[in-house]
């Protein structure tokens, strides 16, 4: 099946710094990618939809100036957590559908664990 | 949230036993999907059942869908230690976004 990778797999940073997380579709093109956040023992919550060639759309309650998303190419989306604080510590996961607008399965990256000290 | 609840929240079974978990949702759907998440990892797609289907099988997995009750169940037969994971149901909203249930954590004891 299709493969989605994320980098880094885990990151520890100091409060106030910015952290960039990459999401890549390795063997297919993804005009749309999704970013989720998952707190311990909780479900995935959709943060934003990353669109190649246009601005990301954010879910209600997600600060777009804090979570910057750039869909640089058909295989790469980046999420930058700006001025990270301890409450931003979480597991961040990206996904991509095999084709735009697909209601079928999505392919998920392995996740990035962020710890802000 | 487009999703309701999953139950149970946690399930512990002996290897070889069956595991059943349930999912409820709130809105009409085109399909319902089940995913597995191993600890600290991403999600793996298990099975998709469409709204006009009532039951679907894939290996040791059996999924049912009752659209009148807005509920679905996932049955794992003859469980193995490798089935230890969290299981999430998900429905599609706004054409392509996934909304996840709370998840069921399954522990299979050897």
């Amino acid at each position: 099946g299709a493969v989605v990778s994320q980098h880094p797999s885990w990151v520890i940073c100091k409060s106030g710094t910015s952290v960039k997380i990459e999401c890549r579709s390795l063997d297919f093109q993804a005009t749309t990618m999704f970013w989720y956040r998952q707190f311990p023992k909780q479900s995935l919550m959709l943060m934003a939809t990353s669109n190649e060639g246009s601005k990301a759309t954010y879910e209600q309650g997600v600060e777009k100036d804090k979570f910057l998303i750039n869909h640089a190419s058909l295989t790469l989306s980046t999420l930058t957590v700006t001025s990270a604080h301890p409450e931003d510590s979480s597991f961040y996961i990206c996904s991509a559908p095999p084709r735009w607008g697909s209601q079928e399965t999505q392919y998920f990256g392995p996740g990035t664990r962020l710890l802000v000290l | 949230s487009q999703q309701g609840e999953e139950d149970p929240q946690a399930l512990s079974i002996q290897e070889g036993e069956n595991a059943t978990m349930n999912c409820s949702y709130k809105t009409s759907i085109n399909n319902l999907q089940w995913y597995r998440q191993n600890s600290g990892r991403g999600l793996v797609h298990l099975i998709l059942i469409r709204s006009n289907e009532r039951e679907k099988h894939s290996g040791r997995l059996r999924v049912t869908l009752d659209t009148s009750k807005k509920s679905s169940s996932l049955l794992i037969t003859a469980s193995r230690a490798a089935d230890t994971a969290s299981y999430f149901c998900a429905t599609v909203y706004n054409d392509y976004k996934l909304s996840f249930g709370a998840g069921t954590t399954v522990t299979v004891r050897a």
Side-chain angles (χ1 to χ4, degrees):
Chain A
V3 178
V4 174
S5 71
Q6 278 184 244
H7 177 81
S9 55
W10 59 271
V11 58
I12 302 173
C13 70
K14 291 182 179 179
S15 187
T17 61
S18 294
V19 175
K20 180 185 285 188
I21 302 169
E22 294 185 346
C23 176
R24 293 181 186 271
S25 56
L26 297 185
D27 51 0
F28 66 103
Q29 294 183 334
T31 56
T32 300
M33 290 183 175
F34 301 95
W35 287 96
Y36 298 83
R37 182 167 51 186
Q38 184 181 32
F39 292 107
K41 298 190 185 303
Q42 293 188 23
S43 188
L44 281 74
M45 296 300 296
L46 180 66
M47 298 175 66
T49 303
S50 173
N51 303 297
E52 191 272 337
S54 64
K55 291 182 179 180
T57 56
Y58 292 81
E59 296 300 300
Q60 192 171 8
V62 178
E63 300 175 58
K64 62 180 181 180
D65 293 330
K66 180 166 185 65
F67 299 99
L68 300 179
I69 291 173
N70 181 29
H71 203 126
S73 72
L74 287 172
T75 60
L76 173 64
S77 173
T78 59
L79 168 68
T80 301
V81 184
T82 62
S83 186
H85 291 287
E87 57 266 29
D88 299 322
S89 298
S90 188
F91 193 53
Y92 293 87
I93 307 175
C94 68
S95 73
R99 61 183 184 280
W100 184 87
S102 172
Q103 294 192 4
E104 305 293 312
T105 181
Q106 290 191 17
Y107 300 105
F108 284 79
T112 297
R113 189 162 303 282
L114 170 64
L115 177 61
V116 185
L117 301 177
Chain B
S1 168
Q2 306 297 309
Q3 272 294 356
E5 297 295 320
E6 284 188 54
D7 76 272
Q9 288 187 340
L11 184 59
S12 180
I13 56 174
Q14 201 74 29
E15 203 166 25
E17 293 180 339
N18 296 342
T20 300
M21 58 211 84
N22 305 293
C23 160
S24 64
Y25 57 92
K26 296 177 180 176
T27 62
S28 61
I29 59 171
N30 288 328
N31 66 65
L32 186 141
Q33 304 172 32
W34 285 90
Y35 289 82
R36 183 186 72 222
Q37 183 181 33
N38 290 89
S39 181
R41 304 290 294 170
L43 274 68
V44 173
H45 178 259
L46 295 177
I47 196 166
L48 179 152
I49 186 165
R50 302 184 191 284
S51 59
N52 61 353
E53 298 175 307
R54 292 297 168 258
E55 187 171 311
K56 197 163 184 180
H57 297 252
S58 177
R60 294 182 296 111
L61 304 179
R62 172 177 164 248
V63 169
T64 63
L65 179 64
D66 187 335
T67 54
S68 66
K69 295 181 180 179
K70 291 187 168 59
S71 68
S72 175
S73 68
L74 171 67
L75 166 68
I76 305 172
T77 60
S79 63
R80 305 167 181 169
D83 295 328
T84 294
S86 291
Y87 293 82
F88 296 92
C89 64
T91 56
V92 176
Y93 70 101
N94 286 8
D95 290 333
Y96 53 85
K97 298 180 180 180
L98 286 179
S99 175
F100 289 89
T104 295
T105 299
V106 175
T107 302
V108 181
R109 306 185 306 274

